[in-house]
Amino acid sequence: MVALALLALYNTLRYQDAGEILSRAQRSGRWMGYSLIRFEVQWDCLREDLEPHALVGFVTPLPPEIATEYYLLAQYTLAPVLVENSAQHALVLAYAPDPGDLDTLLSAHPNLRVRKNCQNGVILFEGGN
Amino acid sequence: MFIRLGMGLFGAGLAGFLLVSVILGEAPGKRLVFWLRFWLGIGCGLGITSLHYFFWRLVADPARGLFLIGEFLLLLILFGNYASASPADWVFLRGGPNLKNILKQPSLLAWVFLMVAGFALLTHIVGFLKKPHGGWDAWMIWNLDARFLFRGGEYWQNLFAPQLIHPDYPLMVPASVARLWSIMGKESIFAPAVLGGIYAVSIIAVLVTAVRYLRGPRLGYIAGLALLGSAGFHFHAPTQSSDFPLGLYILGILVSINFYDSDEYSRPGFLVVAGLLAGLATWTKNEGWLLLVALILARSVQAVFRQTAANLWREARLFFGGLAPILALVLFFKLWFAPANDLVAAWGPATLENLLDANRYTSVAGEFLWQSVSLDPKISTPFAMLPLLFLFFGFRKNGLKRPGVIVGLLVLAIMFAGYAIIFITTPHRLEWHLYTANARLFLQLWPGAVFIVVLLLSDSAQQN
C-alpha cells in the first residue's frame, strides 16, 4: 500500500517542473507559456486581408523538421481561412522570422511579390499560381 | 467570462446527471448510487450537449445563442422526469451535506489519496501554464475544429477540407469547446483547458466512486492510487487530449455493465447508460467504433459461454435503446459530412502485404510490451504492473465468474487486438505511427483496466 502511494505521488510530481514556471514569471512577468500566444499575435496584421473562405498557400525558409509545425500553427491561427503548404496559390503566406529569410524566399519562389510585410516575420505574397 | 464558463459547464453536468438519473429510474426508499450518477452524468452531459450544439450549428449560427433554447428545453424535460424518478435525492439534497459524517469518515488511506489527487491537480495546472493551448493534437485538431465551428460563420464546414489533418475525426471535443465559447461570447484558452481538467477529474472520480460502491472505500482509494501511478496520465491530462473523454466513456461503460451485473445495484437502466456512453464514444474518437464492436462481441461471447444467451436479446434491446439515438446522429455526421478516414481510405493490396509481414507483428508486439512496462514519465501506463496488485492484495475467489468482469477483460483484450491490427495494417510509416499514437491508445484503456483489476482483488483487501 505504501509502495503504491509512493509510486502514485512520485509519478504525479516528476513530470512537471514548477521551477520553470516560477523562473519565467520572475524573468518576464508571465506565468503562462507565451510562444504560441505570441505567434498568434504576429499574424494579427494579416487578418483583415484574408477573406474567411480564402484558400491560401504557405511557405517558410525554416528547415523541414520545424517548417511543418509552423505551417500547422498558421492554420490554427488563421482558421476558418484554409492554409495549404504550397506556393501554388494566388495569395501565399510566409513565416520568415530571420532578417535574410525574405531574400531566401524570393529567390526560391521568383514568381511571388510582396503584398504586405508585417515586419515581424509574417509576410503576405501574391502571384504564386 | 468565468461565470459564463461555469454556467456552461454546470448546465452540461446537470443535463447529464438528470439524464442518467432518469434512465436508472426510481429506487424505492433509497438514494441509488447518487455520486456515481453525479460523476457519470458530467461526462454524459458534456457529450450530449456537444452533439446538440453540433446539430444546432447546422441550422443556425451559435453566436446568436439559439442553441441555448434547445438546452433549456432539454433541461426542463429532464427535470420534470427526474423529480418523479428520484424522490430519495430530494430528501438527501434538502438535508444538505452531513459535515460531521464527512469529517469523521476518511481513513489515513483516504487522506493519502486526497493528497496525491491534490498534487495531481497542481501538476495539471502547471501543465496548463506550460502549454496553455494544449499539446499538438489539441491545437492541430480539436481546438482548430472548435475555431472553425465558432469563428467559421457560413464557412464552418471548411473544417472538413482535405488540407486539414484528420478532417474526418468526430467532433465531441471541438463542439464542447465551441459551445463554451458561444456561451462565453468569446474564445478563451481556459475553456478547453478546464474541459480537459474535468475529463481527468471525472475519470478519477468515476473509478473511485464505482469501486467504493462495489468493493468498499479501501479498494476505492487503492484503485485511485493505482490510476494515478501512471505518469502518462499526468503528462497527457493537461494536453487536452481527447483520449481522456474516450477513456472516461470506456471506464463508464465497464462500470455500468458491472453495476448491471452486480447483486446489490442491478437495474436495467445501467445497460441503457452503457449504450448511451458507447454512442458518445463514437462521437469522441474513431476508436469508439472499435469499442462498440468489442462490447457487442464480448457480451455475446460471454453470454454464449455462460449459457445466458436467452437474456441476450433483452439486454441487447436495453443497450441499443441507449445507443441508437446517439449512433443515428453520429452516423448522419459520418455519412453526410465527414470525409473518408485516412486509414480506411488506404485499404488495398498494400494492407494485405502489411498483414503478411511478420516484422510488423514483431515491431507492434515489442512496442506494446515496452509500453506495458515502461516507467518513462511521458508515456507510462504500466499495464504489466497491475497484476502485482494480486501479489499484495490477493485474488478474489470466483472473481473470474462475474459476468461484468469477464466482459471487461474481453473488451480490453479485443481493443488491444484491434489497436494492434490498426498498427500492423497502417499505411503510414509504422515506427512513426507507433511513436505518435501508441501511448495515448494505452491511456484510453488504462482507467478501465485498473477498474477491472481492482474488482478482481481479494475480499480480504476490502478490510485489511
Side-chain angles (χ1 to χ4, degrees), chain B residues 28-355:
Chain B
K30 73 175 184 185
R31 195 162 39 82
L32 179 79
V33 292
F34 179 88
W35 291 111
L36 184 65
R37 279 185 281 141
F38 177 84
W39 289 111
L40 269 183
I42 290 176
C44 237
L46 288 170
I48 297 286
T49 50
S50 152
L51 204 53
H52 173 262
Y53 179 89
F54 174 74
F55 280 89
W56 266 97
R57 189 73 189 81
L58 298 179
V59 292
D61 192 335
R64 294 179 191 167
L66 286 175
F67 72 97
L68 288 173
I69 298 171
E71 285 197 10
F72 188 69
L73 286 174
L74 179 72
L75 276 174
L76 269 184
I77 294 166
L78 287 171
F79 201 79
N81 285 289
Y82 166 77
S84 59
S86 304
D89 280 3
W90 291 106
V91 179
F92 170 67
L93 291 170
R94 268 206 305 271
N98 188 338
L99 282 178
K100 207 174 165 186
N101 274 351
I102 289 172
L103 291 174
K104 216 194 308 181
Q105 274 174 357
S107 59
L108 177 64
L109 183 61
W111 285 115
V112 170
F113 166 73
L114 288 172
M115 182 188 71
V116 174
F119 278 119
L121 187 64
L122 284 178
T123 292
H124 188 93
I125 292 168
V126 170
F128 163 68
L129 290 173
K130 276 183 175 174
K131 291 183 178 177
H133 286 264
W136 270 72
D137 277 20
W139 58 258
M140 188 174 71
I141 304 170
W142 312 114
N143 292 341
L144 171 64
D145 285 352
R147 286 184 168 184
F148 278 106
L149 288 169
F150 179 70
R151 292 179 182 174
E154 57 186 305
Y155 306 107
W156 69 271
Q157 291 191 37
N158 274 359
L159 72 87
F160 302 115
Q163 286 84 4
L164 301 181
I165 306 259
H166 302 307
D168 65 299
Y169 276 12
L171 297 174
M172 199 289 270
V173 171
S176 280
V177 172
R179 169 184 172 270
L180 290 175
W181 286 344
S182 297
I183 291 171
M184 294 163 82
K186 61 184 276 197
E187 272 181 46
S188 159
I189 51 175
F190 291 104
V194 171
L195 264 182
I198 287 176
Y199 292 128
V201 168
S202 297
I203 286 176
I204 302 168
V206 166
L207 177 70
V208 174
T209 312
V211 177
R212 272 186 66 116
Y213 279 120
L214 290 173
R215 304 293 316 272
R218 187 168 183 271
L219 279 176
Y221 299 126
I222 288 172
L225 288 171
L227 178 85
L228 296 173
S230 149
F233 187 88
H234 306 294
F235 177 80
H236 284 286
T239 64
Q240 303 166 22
S241 148
S242 64
D243 300 287
F244 274 74
L246 184 61
L248 173 64
Y249 293 140
I250 294 173
L251 171 67
I253 291 164
L254 298 185
V255 163
S256 301
I257 290 173
N258 275 279
F259 271 74
Y260 172 78
D261 287 328
S262 70
D263 303 326
E264 194 177 349
Y265 301 105
S266 185
R267 309 179 67 75
F270 277 114
L271 281 186
V272 182
V273 172
L276 178 74
L277 294 174
L280 291 177
T282 64
W283 178 232
T284 306
K285 287 202 83 178
N286 286 336
E287 292 92 313
W289 295 96
L290 174 62
L291 173 69
L292 196 55
V293 173
L295 280 166
I296 294 168
L297 262 179
R299 194 66 181 186
S300 306
V301 168
Q302 181 263 337
V304 169
F305 277 89
R306 300 274 299 165
Q307 297 178 331
T308 53
N311 289 337
L312 203 56
W313 172 235
R314 190 179 68 86
E315 291 180 351
R317 273 188 308 174
L318 291 168
F319 181 78
F320 283 100
L323 173 72
I326 309 291
L327 199 65
L329 297 174
V330 180
L331 274 173
F332 174 68
F333 160 79
K334 277 286 180 191
L335 298 173
W336 199 263
F337 292 101
N341 175 261
D342 57 337
L343 302 179
V344 177
W347 277 350
T351 313
L352 192 62
E353 275 176 38
N354 288 342
L355 265 176

Side-chain angles (χ1 to χ4, degrees), chain A residues 81-128:
Chain A
V81 171
L82 281 172
V83 184
E84 193 164 41
N85 201 3
S86 149
Q88 306 302 311
H89 289 274
L91 292 176
V92 178
L93 309 168
Y95 186 63
D98 293 323
D101 284 348
L102 177 57
D103 294 335
T104 311
L105 280 174
L106 287 172
S107 57
H109 306 281
N111 54 336
L112 294 179
R113 292 185 310 279
V114 175
R115 178 159 159 180
K116 189 170 186 180
N117 189 340
C118 299
Q119 306 296 338
N120 60 4
V122 170
I123 302 162
L124 178 63
F125 289 110
E126 60 186 5

Side-chain angles (χ1 to χ4, degrees), chain B residues 374-413:
Chain B
S374 169
L375 294 177
D376 183 305
K378 291 185 179 176
I379 63 168
S380 169
T381 42
F383 280 85
M385 294 192 187
L386 284 175
L388 287 179
L389 291 172
F390 297 124
L391 284 181
F392 295 112
F393 301 109
F395 195 84
R396 191 181 195 184
K397 197 179 166 188
N398 295 330
L400 283 175
K401 289 189 176 169
R402 292 170 184 275
V405 171
I406 297 170
V407 169
L409 288 171
L410 283 172
V411 165
L412 293 170

